[in-house]
Amino acid sequence: MAVPLLSAGLTVDPAGPLQVAGLSAEAVLVALLVAGSAFFSLVAVVGFYRLPDVYSRAHAASKSETLGALLAFSAAGVVFGLGQASLKLALLALFVLVTGPTAAHAVVRSAADAGRTPWTRETGITDGGASTDDAGVAETPTDTGEADR
């Protein structure tokens, strides 16, 4: 006989598997991992869109997107269970874990070699050559940033 716990729908049946709101614990775990993956991927997109220069954007893209991808691989691993598919997912996760930050480092190194200066609150210069006000809000670009190159 299932015993209801809390008002969130968590029930414990001593003879059966743990269920939350009629879903198995595995389904709940997969849903949480997918939600985490979507959240961190969205954070990466917002960071890539909102941050002022290539250095900040590379940081947001490498950290958040790598974590989002790893959570998605973890969700798939829970669905597939132990086996060959999970081993392939683990290898793919290892590949993403190594190549994501390495690619971001290469992009940042390339920007530094090209002479791009990091955005600071004092300079207020963004990648495209647009200046920002004291609050860091970009004003209308006055040039295409050719002078920075």
Side-chain angles (χ1 to χ4, degrees), residues 1 9 18 22 42 44 46 57 60 66 68 70 97 109-110 125 129 131 133 143 146:
M1 173 174 183
L18 179 66
L42 182 64
V46 169
R57 291 176 186 155
T66 301
L70 292 178
L97 190 62
R109 172 70 74 166
S110 175
I125 302 297
S131 62
D133 60 10
D143 63 18
E146 293 295 325

Side-chain angles (χ1 to χ4, degrees), residues 54-146:
V54 68
Y55 302 104
S56 302
R57 291 176 186 155
H59 176 77
S62 66
K63 305 290 185 210
S64 300
E65 185 52 37
T66 301
L67 184 57
L70 292 178
L71 288 175
F73 291 140
S74 298
V78 169
V79 169
F80 289 132
L82 292 178
Q84 188 176 9
S86 292
L87 178 64
K88 289 178 181 177
L89 284 170
L91 291 174
L92 190 57
L94 181 66
F95 179 76
V96 168
L97 190 62
V98 170
T99 58
T102 304
H105 179 78
V107 167
V108 168
R109 172 70 74 166
S110 175
D113 290 346
R116 293 284 184 172
T117 57
W119 179 88
T120 62
R121 189 170 295 274
E122 289 80 26
T123 61
I125 302 297
T126 63
D127 255 354
S131 62
T132 58
D133 60 10
D134 291 338
V137 177
E139 298 172 351
T140 304
T142 56
D143 63 18
T144 58
E146 293 295 325

